[in-house]
Coordinates of all heavy atoms in Angstrom, one line a residue:
S1 N 73.0 124.6 81.2 CA 73.6 123.4 81.5 C 72.8 122.6 82.4 O 71.9 123.0 83.1 CB 75.0 123.7 82.1 OG 74.8 124.2 83.4
M2 N 73.0 121.3 82.4 CA 72.3 120.4 83.2 C 72.7 120.5 84.7 O 73.8 120.4 85.0 CB 72.6 118.9 82.7 CG 71.9 117.9 83.5 SD 72.4 116.2 83.0 CE 74.0 116.1 83.8
G3 N 71.7 120.8 85.5 CA 72.0 120.9 87.0 C 71.6 119.6 87.6 O 70.5 119.1 87.4
L4 N 72.4 119.0 88.5 CA 72.0 117.8 89.2 C 71.3 118.1 90.5 O 71.7 119.0 91.2 CB 73.2 116.9 89.5 CG 74.0 116.4 88.2 CD1 75.1 115.6 88.7 CD2 73.1 115.6 87.4
L5 N 70.2 117.4 90.7 CA 69.4 117.6 92.0 C 70.2 117.1 93.2 O 70.2 117.6 94.2 CB 68.1 116.9 91.9 CG 67.2 117.5 90.8 CD1 65.9 116.7 90.7 CD2 66.9 118.9 91.0
R6 N 70.9 116.0 93.0 CA 71.6 115.4 94.1 C 72.9 116.2 94.3 O 73.6 116.5 93.4 CB 72.0 113.9 93.7 CG 72.6 113.2 94.9 CD 72.7 111.7 94.5 NE 73.4 111.0 95.6 CZ 73.7 109.7 95.5 NH1 73.4 109.0 94.5 NH2 74.3 109.2 96.5
S7 N 73.2 116.5 95.6 CA 74.4 117.3 95.8 C 75.6 116.5 96.4 O 76.7 117.0 96.5 CB 74.0 118.4 96.8 OG 73.6 117.9 98.0
E8 N 75.4 115.2 96.8 CA 76.4 114.4 97.3 C 76.6 113.1 96.6 O 75.6 112.4 96.4 CB 76.2 114.2 98.8 CG 76.3 115.5 99.6 CD 76.2 115.2 101.1 OE1 76.2 114.0 101.5 OE2 76.3 116.1 101.9
F9 N 77.8 112.8 96.2 CA 78.1 111.5 95.6 C 79.2 110.8 96.4 O 80.1 110.2 95.9 CB 78.6 111.7 94.2 CG 77.4 112.1 93.2 CD1 77.1 113.4 93.1 CD2 76.7 111.1 92.6 CE1 76.1 113.8 92.2 CE2 75.7 111.5 91.7 CZ 75.4 112.8 91.5
N10 N 79.2 111.0 97.8 CA 80.3 110.6 98.6 C 80.4 109.0 98.5 O 79.4 108.3 98.7 CB 80.1 111.0 100.1 CG 80.1 112.5 100.2 OD1 80.6 113.2 99.4 ND2 79.6 113.0 101.3
S11 N 81.6 108.5 98.3 CA 82.0 107.1 98.3 C 81.2 106.3 97.2 O 81.1 105.1 97.3 CB 81.7 106.5 99.7 OG 82.5 107.1 100.6
T12 N 80.6 107.0 96.2 CA 79.8 106.4 95.2 C 80.8 105.8 94.1 O 81.8 106.4 93.8 CB 78.9 107.4 94.5 OG1 78.1 108.0 95.5 CG2 78.0 106.7 93.5
N13 N 80.4 104.6 93.6 CA 81.2 104.1 92.5 C 80.6 104.5 91.2 O 79.5 103.9 90.8 CB 81.3 102.6 92.6 CG 82.2 102.0 91.5 OD1 82.5 102.6 90.6 ND2 82.6 100.7 91.7
I14 N 81.1 105.5 90.5 CA 80.6 106.0 89.3 C 81.7 106.1 88.2 O 81.8 107.0 87.5 CB 79.8 107.3 89.4 CG1 80.4 108.2 90.4 CG2 78.4 107.0 89.8 CD1 79.7 109.5 90.6
D15 N 82.5 105.1 88.2 CA 83.6 105.0 87.1 C 82.9 105.1 85.8 O 81.8 104.6 85.6 CB 84.3 103.7 87.2 CG 85.3 103.5 88.4 OD1 85.6 104.6 89.0 OD2 85.6 102.4 88.7
N16 N 83.6 105.8 84.9 CA 83.2 106.0 83.5 C 81.9 106.8 83.3 O 81.3 106.8 82.2 CB 82.9 104.6 82.8 CG 84.2 103.7 82.8 OD1 85.2 104.1 82.4 ND2 84.1 102.5 83.4
A17 N 81.5 107.5 84.4 CA 80.3 108.4 84.3 C 80.5 109.5 83.3 O 81.7 110.0 83.2 CB 79.9 108.9 85.7
T18 N 79.5 110.0 82.8 CA 79.6 111.2 81.9 C 78.9 112.4 82.5 O 77.6 112.3 82.8 CB 78.9 110.9 80.5 OG1 79.7 109.9 79.9 CG2 79.0 112.1 79.6
F19 N 79.6 113.5 82.8 CA 79.1 114.7 83.3 C 79.4 115.8 82.3 O 79.5 117.0 82.7 CB 79.7 115.0 84.7 CG 79.4 114.0 85.7 CD1 80.4 113.0 86.1 CD2 78.2 114.0 86.3 CE1 80.1 112.1 87.1 CE2 77.9 113.1 87.3 CZ 78.8 112.1 87.7
E20 N 79.5 115.5 81.1 CA 79.9 116.5 80.1 C 78.8 117.7 80.1 O 77.6 117.4 80.1 CB 79.9 115.9 78.7 CG 80.5 116.8 77.6 CD 80.9 116.1 76.4 OE1 80.8 114.9 76.3 OE2 81.5 116.8 75.5
N21 N 79.3 118.9 80.1 CA 78.5 120.1 80.1 C 77.6 120.3 81.4 O 76.7 121.1 81.4 CB 77.6 120.2 78.9 CG 78.5 120.2 77.6 OD1 79.4 120.9 77.5 ND2 78.1 119.3 76.7
A22 N 77.8 119.4 82.4 CA 76.9 119.5 83.6 C 77.3 120.6 84.5 O 78.4 121.0 84.6 CB 77.0 118.1 84.3
G23 N 76.3 121.1 85.2 CA 76.5 122.1 86.3 C 76.7 121.3 87.6 O 75.7 120.8 88.2
L24 N 78.0 121.3 88.0 CA 78.3 120.5 89.2 C 78.9 121.4 90.3 O 79.6 120.9 91.2 CB 79.3 119.4 88.9 CG 78.8 118.4 87.8 CD1 79.9 117.5 87.4 CD2 77.6 117.5 88.4
G25 N 78.6 122.6 90.3 CA 79.1 123.5 91.3 C 78.7 123.2 92.7 O 77.5 122.8 92.9
R26 N 79.7 123.2 93.6 CA 79.4 122.8 95.0 C 79.0 121.4 95.3 O 78.6 121.0 96.4 CB 78.4 123.8 95.6 CG 78.8 125.3 95.6 CD 77.6 126.1 96.2 NE 78.0 127.5 96.1 CZ 78.5 128.2 97.1 NH1 78.7 127.7 98.2 NH2 78.7 129.5 96.9
I27 N 79.1 120.5 94.3 CA 78.7 119.1 94.5 C 79.9 118.4 95.2 O 81.1 118.7 95.0 CB 78.5 118.4 93.1 CG1 77.4 119.1 92.4 CG2 78.2 116.9 93.3 CD1 76.0 118.7 92.6
T28 N 79.6 117.5 96.1 CA 80.5 116.8 96.9 C 80.7 115.4 96.3 O 79.8 114.6 96.2 CB 80.1 116.7 98.3 OG1 79.9 118.0 98.9 CG2 81.1 116.0 99.2
F29 N 82.0 115.1 96.0 CA 82.4 113.7 95.4 C 83.4 113.1 96.3 O 84.3 112.4 95.8 CB 82.9 113.9 94.0 CG 82.0 114.3 93.0 CD1 81.9 115.6 92.6 CD2 81.2 113.4 92.3 CE1 81.0 116.0 91.6 CE2 80.3 113.8 91.3 CZ 80.2 115.1 90.9
Q30 N 83.4 113.3 97.6 CA 84.4 112.8 98.5 C 84.6 111.3 98.4 O 83.6 110.6 98.6 CB 84.2 113.2 99.9 CG 84.3 114.7 100.1 CD 84.1 115.2 101.6 OE1 83.9 114.3 102.5 NE2 84.2 116.4 101.9
Y31 N 85.8 110.8 98.1 CA 86.1 109.4 98.1 C 85.3 108.6 97.0 O 85.3 107.4 97.1 CB 86.0 108.8 99.5 CG 86.9 109.5 100.5 CD1 86.3 110.4 101.3 CD2 88.3 109.3 100.5 CE1 87.1 111.2 102.2 CE2 89.0 110.0 101.4 CZ 88.4 111.0 102.3 OH 89.2 111.7 103.1
A32 N 84.7 109.3 96.1 CA 84.0 108.6 95.0 C 84.9 108.0 94.0 O 86.1 108.5 93.8 CB 83.1 109.6 94.3
K33 N 84.5 107.0 93.4 CA 85.3 106.3 92.3 C 84.8 106.9 91.0 O 83.7 106.6 90.6 CB 85.2 104.8 92.4 CG 85.8 104.2 93.7 CD 85.6 102.7 93.7 CE 86.3 102.2 95.0 NZ 85.6 102.6 96.2
L34 N 85.6 107.7 90.4 CA 85.3 108.4 89.1 C 86.3 108.2 88.1 O 86.6 109.1 87.2 CB 85.1 109.9 89.5 CG 83.9 110.3 90.3 CD1 84.2 111.6 91.0 CD2 82.7 110.5 89.4
R35 N 86.9 107.0 88.1 CA 88.0 106.8 87.1 C 87.4 106.8 85.7 O 86.3 106.3 85.4 CB 88.6 105.4 87.4 CG 89.5 105.4 88.6 CD 89.9 104.0 89.0 NE 88.8 103.2 89.5 CZ 88.8 102.7 90.7 NH1 89.7 102.9 91.6 NH2 87.7 102.0 91.1
H36 N 88.2 107.5 84.8 CA 87.8 107.7 83.4 C 86.5 108.4 83.2 O 85.8 108.3 82.2 CB 87.8 106.4 82.7 CG 89.1 105.7 82.7 ND1 90.2 106.1 82.0 CD2 89.5 104.6 83.5 CE1 91.2 105.3 82.3 NE2 90.9 104.4 83.2
A37 N 86.0 109.2 84.2 CA 84.8 109.9 84.1 C 85.0 111.1 83.1 O 86.1 111.6 82.9 CB 84.3 110.5 85.5
N38 N 83.9 111.5 82.5 CA 84.0 112.6 81.5 C 83.4 113.9 82.1 O 82.2 114.0 82.4 CB 83.2 112.2 80.3 CG 83.1 113.3 79.2 OD1 83.5 114.4 79.4 ND2 82.5 113.0 78.1
F39 N 84.3 114.8 82.4 CA 83.9 116.1 83.0 C 84.1 117.3 81.9 O 84.2 118.4 82.3 CB 84.7 116.5 84.2 CG 84.3 115.6 85.4 CD1 85.2 114.6 85.8 CD2 83.2 115.8 86.2 CE1 84.9 113.7 86.9 CE2 82.9 115.0 87.3 CZ 83.8 114.0 87.6
R40 N 84.1 116.9 80.7 CA 84.4 117.9 79.6 C 83.4 119.1 79.7 O 82.2 118.8 79.7 CB 84.4 117.3 78.2 CG 85.5 116.3 78.0 CD 85.4 115.6 76.7 NE 85.6 116.5 75.6 CZ 86.8 116.7 75.0 NH1 87.9 116.0 75.5 NH2 87.0 117.5 74.0
N41 N 84.0 120.3 79.8 CA 83.2 121.5 79.8 C 82.2 121.6 80.9 O 81.2 122.4 80.8 CB 82.4 121.7 78.4 CG 83.4 121.7 77.3 OD1 84.4 122.4 77.3 ND2 83.2 120.9 76.3
A42 N 82.4 120.8 82.0 CA 81.5 120.9 83.1 C 81.8 122.1 84.0 O 83.0 122.5 84.1 CB 81.5 119.6 83.9
D43 N 80.9 122.6 84.8 CA 81.1 123.6 85.8 C 81.3 122.9 87.1 O 80.4 122.4 87.7 CB 80.0 124.6 85.8 CG 80.2 125.7 86.9 OD1 81.3 125.7 87.5 OD2 79.2 126.5 87.1
L44 N 82.6 122.9 87.6 CA 83.0 122.2 88.8 C 83.4 123.2 89.9 O 84.1 122.9 90.8 CB 84.1 121.2 88.6 CG 83.8 120.2 87.5 CD1 85.1 119.4 87.2 CD2 82.7 119.2 87.9
T45 N 82.9 124.5 89.7 CA 83.2 125.5 90.7 C 82.9 125.1 92.1 O 81.7 124.7 92.4 CB 82.4 126.8 90.4 OG1 82.7 127.2 89.0 CG2 82.8 128.0 91.3
R46 N 83.9 125.1 93.0 CA 83.7 124.7 94.4 C 83.3 123.3 94.6 O 82.9 122.9 95.7 CB 82.8 125.6 95.1 CG 83.3 127.1 95.2 CD 82.5 127.9 96.1 NE 83.0 129.3 96.2 CZ 82.5 130.2 97.0 NH1 81.5 130.0 97.7 NH2 83.0 131.4 97.0
A47 N 83.4 122.4 93.6 CA 83.1 121.0 93.8 C 84.2 120.4 94.7 O 85.4 120.9 94.8 CB 83.1 120.2 92.5
D48 N 83.9 119.4 95.5 CA 84.8 118.8 96.5 C 85.1 117.3 96.1 O 84.2 116.5 96.1 CB 84.2 118.8 97.9 CG 85.1 118.3 99.0 OD1 86.2 117.8 98.6 OD2 84.7 118.5 100.1
F49 N 86.3 117.1 95.6 CA 86.8 115.8 95.2 C 87.8 115.2 96.1 O 88.7 114.4 95.8 CB 87.5 115.9 93.8 CG 86.5 116.2 92.7 CD1 86.4 117.5 92.2 CD2 85.8 115.2 92.1 CE1 85.5 117.8 91.1 CE2 84.9 115.5 91.0 CZ 84.8 116.8 90.6
T50 N 87.7 115.6 97.4 CA 88.7 115.1 98.4 C 88.7 113.6 98.4 O 87.7 112.9 98.5 CB 88.2 115.6 99.8 OG1 88.2 117.0 99.9 CG2 89.2 115.1 100.9
G51 N 89.9 113.0 98.2 CA 90.1 111.6 98.3 C 89.5 110.8 97.1 O 89.5 109.6 97.2
A52 N 89.0 111.5 96.1 CA 88.3 110.8 95.0 C 89.3 110.1 94.1 O 90.5 110.5 94.0 CB 87.5 111.8 94.2
Y53 N 88.9 109.1 93.4 CA 89.7 108.3 92.5 C 89.3 108.9 91.1 O 88.3 108.5 90.5 CB 89.4 106.8 92.6 CG 89.7 106.3 93.9 CD1 88.8 106.3 94.9 CD2 91.0 105.7 94.2 CE1 89.1 105.7 96.2 CE2 91.3 105.2 95.4 CZ 90.3 105.2 96.4 OH 90.6 104.7 97.7
L54 N 90.2 109.7 90.6 CA 89.9 110.4 89.3 C 90.9 110.0 88.2 O 91.0 110.7 87.2 CB 90.0 111.9 89.5 CG 88.9 112.5 90.4 CD1 89.3 113.8 90.9 CD2 87.6 112.6 89.7
D55 N 91.5 108.8 88.3 CA 92.5 108.4 87.4 C 91.9 108.3 86.0 O 90.9 107.7 85.8 CB 93.1 107.0 87.8 CG 93.6 107.0 89.2 OD1 94.7 107.5 89.4 OD2 92.8 106.7 90.1
G56 N 92.6 109.0 85.0 CA 92.1 109.0 83.6 C 90.9 109.8 83.3 O 90.4 109.8 82.2
A57 N 90.4 110.6 84.3 CA 89.2 111.4 84.0 C 89.6 112.6 83.1 O 90.7 113.0 83.0 CB 88.7 112.0 85.4
D58 N 88.6 113.0 82.4 CA 88.8 114.1 81.4 C 88.1 115.4 81.8 O 86.9 115.5 82.0 CB 88.2 113.6 80.1 CG 88.5 114.6 78.9 OD1 89.0 115.7 79.1 OD2 88.2 114.2 77.8
F59 N 89.0 116.4 82.2 CA 88.6 117.7 82.6 C 88.8 118.7 81.5 O 88.8 119.9 81.8 CB 89.4 118.1 83.8 CG 89.0 117.3 85.1 CD1 89.7 116.1 85.4 CD2 88.0 117.7 85.9 CE1 89.4 115.4 86.5 CE2 87.7 117.0 87.1 CZ 88.3 115.8 87.4
T60 N 88.8 118.3 80.2 CA 89.1 119.3 79.2 C 88.0 120.3 79.1 O 86.8 120.0 79.1 CB 89.1 118.5 77.8 OG1 90.1 117.5 77.8 CG2 89.4 119.5 76.7
G61 N 88.4 121.6 79.2 CA 87.4 122.7 79.2 C 86.6 122.9 80.4 O 85.7 123.8 80.4
A62 N 86.8 122.1 81.4 CA 86.0 122.2 82.7 C 86.4 123.5 83.5 O 87.6 123.9 83.5 CB 86.1 121.0 83.5
T63 N 85.5 124.0 84.2 CA 85.8 125.1 85.1 C 86.0 124.5 86.5 O 85.0 123.9 87.0 CB 84.5 126.1 85.2 OG1 84.3 126.6 83.8 CG2 84.8 127.3 86.1
V64 N 87.2 124.7 87.0 CA 87.5 124.1 88.3 C 87.9 125.1 89.3 O 88.6 124.8 90.3 CB 88.7 123.0 88.1 CG1 88.2 121.8 87.3 CG2 89.9 123.7 87.5
K65 N 87.4 126.3 89.2 CA 87.6 127.4 90.1 C 87.2 127.0 91.6 O 86.1 126.6 91.8 CB 86.9 128.6 89.7 CG 87.1 129.9 90.6 CD 86.4 131.1 90.0 CE 86.3 132.3 90.9 NZ 87.3 132.5 91.9
D66 N 88.2 127.1 92.5 CA 88.0 126.8 93.9 C 87.6 125.3 94.1 O 87.0 125.0 95.2 CB 87.0 127.8 94.5 CG 87.5 129.2 94.5 OD1 88.7 129.4 94.6 OD2 86.6 130.1 94.3
A67 N 87.7 124.5 93.2 CA 87.4 123.0 93.4 C 88.5 122.4 94.3 O 89.7 122.9 94.3 CB 87.3 122.3 92.1
V68 N 88.2 121.4 95.1 CA 89.1 120.8 96.1 C 89.5 119.4 95.6 O 88.6 118.6 95.4 CB 88.5 120.8 97.5 CG1 89.4 120.1 98.5 CG2 88.1 122.1 97.9
F69 N 90.8 119.2 95.5 CA 91.3 117.8 95.0 C 92.2 117.3 96.1 O 93.1 116.4 95.7 CB 92.0 118.0 93.7 CG 91.1 118.3 92.5 CD1 90.9 119.6 92.2 CD2 90.4 117.3 91.8 CE1 90.0 120.0 91.1 CE2 89.6 117.6 90.8 CZ 89.4 119.0 90.4
D70 N 92.1 117.6 97.3 CA 93.0 117.1 98.4 C 93.0 115.6 98.5 O 91.9 115.0 98.7 CB 92.6 117.7 99.8 CG 92.7 119.2 99.8 OD1 93.4 119.8 99.0 OD2 92.2 119.8 100.8
G71 N 94.2 115.0 98.3 CA 94.3 113.6 98.5 C 93.6 112.8 97.4 O 93.5 111.6 97.5
A72 N 93.2 113.4 96.3 CA 92.6 112.7 95.2 C 93.6 112.1 94.3 O 94.8 112.5 94.3 CB 91.8 113.7 94.3
S73 N 93.3 110.9 93.7 CA 94.1 110.2 92.8 C 93.9 110.7 91.4 O 92.8 110.6 90.9 CB 93.8 108.7 92.9 OG 94.6 108.0 92.1
L74 N 95.0 111.3 90.9 CA 94.8 112.1 89.6 C 95.7 111.5 88.5 O 96.0 112.3 87.5 CB 95.1 113.6 89.8 CG 94.1 114.3 90.8 CD1 94.7 115.6 91.2 CD2 92.8 114.4 90.2
S75 N 96.1 110.3 88.6 CA 97.1 109.8 87.5 C 96.4 109.7 86.2 O 95.3 109.2 86.1 CB 97.8 108.5 88.0 OG 97.2 107.4 87.4
G76 N 97.0 110.2 85.2 CA 96.5 110.1 83.8 C 95.4 111.0 83.5 O 94.7 110.8 82.5
V77 N 95.1 112.0 84.4 CA 94.0 112.9 84.1 C 94.3 113.7 82.9 O 95.4 114.1 82.6 CB 93.9 113.9 85.3 CG1 93.0 115.1 85.0 CG2 93.2 113.1 86.5
I78 N 93.2 114.0 82.1 CA 93.3 114.8 80.9 C 92.7 116.2 81.2 O 91.7 116.3 81.8 CB 92.5 114.1 79.7 CG1 93.0 112.7 79.5 CG2 92.5 115.0 78.5 CD1 92.0 111.8 78.7
G79 N 93.4 117.2 80.7 CA 93.0 118.6 81.0 C 93.5 119.0 82.4 O 94.3 118.3 83.0
S80 N 93.1 120.2 82.8 CA 93.7 120.8 84.1 C 92.7 120.7 85.2 O 91.5 120.9 85.1 CB 94.0 122.2 83.8 OG 94.5 122.8 85.0
T81 N 93.3 120.4 86.4 CA 92.5 120.4 87.7 C 92.8 121.6 88.5 O 92.6 121.5 89.7 CB 92.7 119.1 88.4 OG1 94.1 118.9 88.7 CG2 92.2 117.9 87.6
H82 N 93.4 122.6 87.9 CA 93.7 123.9 88.7 C 93.7 125.1 87.8 O 93.6 125.0 86.6 CB 95.0 123.7 89.5 CG 96.2 123.3 88.7 ND1 96.5 122.0 88.5 CD2 97.1 124.0 87.9 CE1 97.5 121.8 87.7 NE2 97.9 123.0 87.3

């Protein structure tokens, strides 16, 4: 899977981003704008989405083990975030 070199996307505006099949374990997305982002089949183990805007994001098939969604906006999310 694709591993990202950058480990923090705090407060970044990346609405509509595609992270399909990406290796995002332990990546920090605190307060990032990720509306309608594609996380299909991504590895989000221990990723931190505290306060992130994830409305309409697609988590179909994603691994979200120990990921943090505290205070995140999750309306209309596709797939499971737990």
Side-chain angles (χ1 to χ4, degrees):
S1 72
M2 179 184 76
L4 295 182
L5 297 177
R6 184 172 178 183
S7 62
E8 294 187 1
F9 289 87
N10 296 343
S11 301
T12 307
N13 185 344
I14 37 183
D15 288 340
N16 304 303
T18 296
F19 295 104
E20 189 163 2
N21 301 313
L24 300 171
R26 299 176 184 263
I27 303 270
T28 301
F29 292 97
Q30 291 183 2
Y31 305 98
K33 293 178 177 68
L34 290 155
R35 288 172 289 242
H36 303 286
N38 177 355
F39 291 102
R40 293 175 70 90
N41 302 311
D43 179 5
L44 303 171
T45 304
R46 295 191 179 180
D48 186 352
F49 292 97
T50 300
Y53 299 88
L54 293 161
D55 308 277
D58 187 351
F59 289 92
T60 303
T63 302
V64 293
K65 180 175 168 29
D66 299 325
V68 178
F69 292 93
D70 294 348
S73 180
L74 297 166
S75 98
V77 162
I78 302 161
S80 178
T81 56
H82 49 272

